[in-house]
Amino acid sequence: MVVGLLIDVLRKAASDCYIRHGFWKVKGDFPLPHKSQDETYHMVNKEVLSTLGKEGVIVNVGRGALINEKELVRCLVGEYIKGAGLDVFENDNASNVPEELFQLDNVVFFLHTLLYLLQSLLRRLLQILKYSFDER
């Protein structure tokens, strides 16, 4: 979603027009195309990464296999792009993440578990609220 919004800002895409003209009030949410994992595999490749340029930063909070990790490492090490923020990887198994990524200062990692953290916090809050109302 982050990348999609960035692209929308840069291209002034259809979803912006959809909202500004009030269509979402009548027709509901903007219809986003859903692609299979096969269709999006290595969608962010050498061409896309090189287009970002020296000030470009790639953030992946979607599917790990969207980004060709070998190309990502090459672009980061060669300083063809500025950095990367990753919470997913091409292979779900952490032992398969390229070691070079861990050595780079221009890469930030985050666990793809924030959703579970938020769900847990919400569940705990609801338990506390229920308890406080039951005690009355």
Side-chain angles (χ1 to χ4, degrees):
M1 181 165 61
V2 173
V3 174
L5 286 173
L6 176 61
I7 291 169
D8 274 1
V9 168
L10 296 174
R11 292 183 8 192
K12 297 185 179 179
S15 61
D16 181 64
C17 294
Y18 189 86
I19 292 169
R20 288 181 189 273
H21 289 97
F23 295 134
W24 63 275
K25 291 178 183 175
V26 178
K27 298 181 179 182
D29 291 338
F30 183 74
L32 294 174
H34 292 283
K35 302 233 180 231
S36 72
Q37 288 183 354
D38 291 339
E39 292 175 295
T40 60
Y41 180 77
H42 286 183
M43 181 182 276
V44 179
N45 54 21
K46 180 180 182 178
E47 180 183 359
V48 173
L49 290 168
S50 64
T51 301
L52 290 175
K54 291 193 177 284
E55 293 300 311
V57 174
I58 187 79
V59 175
N60 190 2
V61 295
R63 293 184 187 135
L66 287 171
I67 297 177
N68 179 330
E69 282 182 355
K70 289 180 183 177
E71 273 307 311
L72 177 63
V73 168
R74 186 188 73 75
C75 288
L76 289 165
V77 169
E79 298 181 359
Y80 301 115
I81 64 173
K82 189 170 189 168
L86 307 169
D87 80 339
V88 290
F89 304 98
E90 189 167 338
N91 297 297
D92 290 335
N93 185 342
S95 64
N96 291 330
V97 176
E99 187 62 34
E100 298 94 336
L101 288 176
F102 295 108
Q103 307 305 319
L104 297 168
D105 291 337
N106 56 346
V107 177
V108 176
F109 300 101
F110 191 79
L111 297 175
H112 193 66
T113 56
L114 182 60
L115 175 64
Y116 300 116
L117 173 65
L118 293 174
Q119 287 174 340
S120 298
L121 290 173
L122 181 59
R123 186 172 27 255
R124 182 67 182 132
L125 177 62
L126 290 173
Q127 288 171 346
I128 291 168
L129 289 172
K130 182 182 182 309
Y131 178 77
S132 67
F133 284 112
D134 289 345
E135 290 297 308
R136 292 184 179 171

